[in-house]
Amino acid sequence: QQQVKQSPQSLIVQKGGISIINCAYENTAFDYFPWYQQFPGKGPALLIAIRPDVSEKKEGRFTISFNKSAKQFSLHIMDSQPGDSATYFCAASIIGSARQLTFGSGTQLTVLP
Amino acid sequence: DTEVTQTPKHLVMGMTNKKSLKCEQHMGHRAMYWYKQKAKKPPELMFVYSYEKLSINESVPSRFSPECPNSSLLNLHLHALQPEDSALYLCASSPYRGRGTGELFFGEGSRLTVL
């Protein structure tokens, strides 16, 4: 019940296209859903996060869509750029839990020039 | 630039060696974490320190020994490791006002190779 399932495992998008990564969770106690971006040789960096009381959050070209009833959330990258090529991890946590994050399995995004 | 600094960036050690990984943050965060990450996998939680006290040990083998000397520093002492322990070791910190928020700030990691 602690799992977060992420798809696809890998994604190739043309420059200027839209990248979409999906995640699903089971534990309804989760109340914080961040996305992390990780470049090769670097640690993960927080990209954008959402709480379940909103259905969408946008920051620049990055948007999280959240469907509480379906227990799903997704990351949309608009106008994808080669510099966006990285591994993206969705995650979920229960605010107040010291264990913090349950990560998805990751999506390796490649944006072709 | 990350505000969580890890040293060394790369470490090669034999199975009989003793070495340490170090982590430092100056953001005033009171929760610090060690994660292990294998290639193409998500980070796996190893230890959590809250207010300099070990609060979570995810059944990590005793050949890994964490230490939190003060609120800014976190060490991971390594002894008698196995080749399968080769991985990227990530340190992270988060604000902890009595409630974790999931806002983890990661360092760039220490790449460990055990021969």
Side-chain angles (χ1 to χ4, degrees):
Chain A
Q1 199 180 23
Q2 288 293 324
Q3 278 189 327
V4 176
K5 295 182 179 180
Q6 183 172 347
S7 63
Q9 185 176 4
S10 63
L11 180 62
I12 300 175
V13 174
Q14 293 286 343
K15 178 182 176 182
I18 302 174
S19 304
I20 302 174
I21 304 171
N22 301 299
C23 286
Y25 63 97
E26 288 295 326
N27 188 348
T28 55
F30 286 140
D31 55 4
Y32 181 74
F33 301 89
W35 285 87
Y36 281 81
Q37 179 188 56
Q38 186 175 24
F39 292 105
K42 304 291 187 181
L46 179 64
L47 185 63
I48 187 173
I50 197 167
R51 298 283 301 273
D53 52 346
V54 297
S55 61
E56 185 174 284
K57 183 174 182 180
K58 183 176 181 179
E59 290 185 2
R61 297 185 293 109
F62 300 90
T63 300
I64 299 179
S65 297
F66 187 83
N67 186 328
K68 188 174 181 178
S69 61
K71 292 184 287 186
Q72 295 175 347
F73 58 109
S74 60
L75 176 69
H76 295 235
I77 306 175
M78 311 301 288
D79 187 26
S80 298
Q81 299 296 313
D84 297 330
S85 297
T87 300
Y88 292 81
F89 293 99
C90 65
S93 72
I94 301 170
I95 290 180
S97 167
R99 277 187 173 76
Q100 295 290 1
L101 300 173
T102 298
F103 283 96
S105 55
T107 296
Q108 187 169 348
L109 171 66
T110 301
V111 181
L112 300 176
Chain B
D1 288 340
T2 181
E3 296 185 71
V4 177
T5 303
Q6 291 187 241
T7 56
K9 292 191 182 303
H10 300 276
L11 179 62
V12 180
M13 59 186 293
M15 290 190 286
T16 58
N17 292 156
K18 287 185 179 181
K19 298 286 185 183
S20 296
L21 305 181
K22 298 184 183 300
C23 174
E24 188 170 5
Q25 59 90 11
H26 293 289
M27 294 179 283
H29 293 170
R30 303 309 298 270
M32 296 186 75
Y33 310 76
W34 281 114
Y35 281 83
K36 173 183 177 180
Q37 187 178 30
K38 290 280 203 178
K40 300 186 185 299
K41 297 292 186 182
E44 298 174 28
L45 183 64
M46 300 175 71
F47 303 103
V48 180
Y49 274 84
S50 300
Y51 289 89
E52 296 96 67
K53 295 194 185 306
L54 183 65
S55 61
I56 292 176
N57 176 341
E58 293 285 76
S59 302
V60 179
S62 60
R63 57 187 184 268
F64 295 91
S65 176
E67 178 194 19
C68 190
N70 60 55
S71 61
S72 300
L73 295 174
L74 187 65
N75 299 321
L76 186 62
H77 302 297
L78 314 171
H79 175 54
L81 295 191
Q82 303 297 310
E84 58 264 30
D85 296 322
S86 299
L88 181 69
Y89 288 85
L90 295 161
C91 174
S93 69
S94 72
Y96 190 82
R97 307 176 190 89
R99 289 158 54 91
T101 65
E103 295 179 77
L104 285 187
F105 295 80
F106 284 90
E108 295 196 346
S110 293
R111 173 73 60 188
L112 174 66
T113 302
V114 182
L115 301 177

